[in-house]
Amino acid sequence: MSKVGLIGLGNMGLPMTRNLIAHGHEVLGYRRSAGEDFIALGGKMADSPRDVAEQADIILCCIPSDDALAEVISGAEGIAGGDCTGKIVVELSTLSEAAKAREAAMVEAKGGVLLDGAISGLPPMVAARSATFLLSGDEAAFETARPVLETLTENLFYMGGFGAAMKAKLCANLLVGINLAATAETLAFGAKMGLDQARLIEALRGGAGTSLQFQARAGRMASGDWDKVLGSTAMLAKDLHLIETAGADADCPMPVLSSAVPLYDRAIAAGYGDTDVASLYAAVASAAGLPVPGK
């Protein structure tokens, strides 16, 4: 049994834990909050990110922010606080490329490698091993980590030099953000024309314009079922603002994104930042003069 480190035991980390253990790996995990759910799956809690690195050669990170990555890698009890020779950190969060590159240099200075990575998919897809895992950076390190990564997904892609995975994830989330905005607008449009939303959703679910996001969230938008958070409005909005910055840096006009982002910002301002991104419908419904589900 090989030992794999996992830092970040949230909506993505817990199904990853299940899959790793199911494939015979011992999982050593760390997060700042309590870890009873992780321990119940068979994981073993570590005292710090550095403790994880001292016990495992392959460490997966799935964390929420640039600041969290800095704490995990270069913080007082971070991975780079000691010798990293032979260590491969697989960073799977949607963060700024600059933050990842900065922390990768810290790991490299201590003899290790940090791979840039990202996950495209919902937590149930991670559980089912159908989410897309994007990786980039040192190809030899990727090949070393491949057997572990292949226990997590049937859709594993090496994208090239460091930063390519993050760029590909921005493309993926551009589609997600636009799809969700279009879904919310479609439901509001149908409601304004007097259509029954449940019937409309059923009719469109398998049509030419459907999408994974429509299938996963159209019904939740219409019913106001936003409390079970698969991905929060604030989290996706953070990614969309990263995409805006990347588009400006690349001198790429993004008119569709530019019309969608204000919807997310309005939903957050209305108090829906920590609810599931299906709550984006609240901003669209309010603007259309429609009742907000659940209110």
Side-chain angles (χ1 to χ4, degrees):
M1 177 185 288
S2 65
K3 187 177 289 187
V4 177
L6 180 55
I7 298 174
L9 307 173
N11 286 342
M12 295 298 199
L14 289 175
M16 287 165 61
T17 298
R18 290 189 191 94
N19 287 330
L20 288 165
I21 291 174
H23 285 82
H25 297 288
E26 181 180 352
V27 183
L28 182 68
Y30 173 77
R31 70 175 171 198
R32 286 173 291 182
S33 57
E36 288 87 353
D37 45 3
F38 171 70
I39 293 170
L41 294 174
K44 178 184 176 183
M45 289 295 292
D47 295 328
S48 67
R50 183 61 211 163
D51 187 25
V52 174
E54 287 174 350
Q55 298 186 58
D57 288 338
I58 295 178
I59 305 115
L60 311 174
C61 289
C62 197
I63 51 181
S65 68
D66 290 2
D67 289 343
L69 180 62
E71 180 181 343
V72 164
I73 301 297
S74 55
E77 297 183 320
I79 290 171
D83 183 23
C84 292
T85 302
K87 308 296 181 181
I88 299 173
V89 180
V90 183
E91 211 306 300
L92 294 167
S93 317
T94 305
L95 307 174
S96 71
E97 185 179 340
K100 289 196 179 193
R102 182 172 59 249
E103 300 307 320
M106 299 293 291
V107 174
E108 184 178 351
K110 294 298 184 73
V113 175
L114 186 146
L115 293 173
D116 164 45
I119 303 170
S120 180
L122 300 169
M125 297 172 67
V126 176
R129 300 181 61 247
S130 61
T132 296
F133 279 58
L134 306 161
L135 273 298
S136 66
D138 185 287
E139 191 167 3
F142 166 74
E143 291 298 335
T144 300
R146 180 193 285 273
V148 169
L149 295 168
E150 286 180 339
T151 69
L152 298 175
T153 181
E154 296 178 353
N155 299 300
L156 177 63
F157 296 91
Y158 176 74
M159 301 304 295
F162 190 93
M166 193 63 245
K167 291 181 175 72
K169 177 60 184 297
L170 294 183
C171 292
N173 275 7
L174 174 60
L175 287 172
V176 169
I178 290 170
N179 265 289
L180 284 166
T183 297
E185 187 171 293
T186 296
L187 295 182
F189 178 50
K192 291 293 282 188
M193 294 192 298
L195 293 173
D196 179 275
Q197 285 193 321
R199 292 177 177 174
L200 177 63
I201 291 167
E202 190 61 28
L204 298 181
R205 191 181 301 278
T210 194
S211 68
L212 173 64
Q213 294 303 325
F214 183 94
Q215 294 172 18
R217 289 190 166 102
R220 297 184 66 188
M221 286 183 176
S223 67
D225 176 18
W226 306 332
D227 291 334
K228 182 180 179 182
V229 181
L230 297 180
S232 73
T233 305
M235 185 67 72
L236 184 54
K238 175 207 60 152
D239 295 349
L240 296 179
H241 285 295
L242 284 175
I243 294 166
E244 281 189 311
T245 299
D249 291 345
D251 193 25
C252 179
M254 307 186 86
V256 180
L257 177 66
S258 295
S259 67
V261 166
L263 299 177
Y264 290 85
D265 292 339
R266 286 207 297 271
I268 292 169
Y272 296 104
D274 294 330
T275 58
D276 188 81
V277 73
S279 62
L280 179 67
Y281 182 66
V284 179
S286 294
L290 294 166
V292 176
K295 284 198 169 185

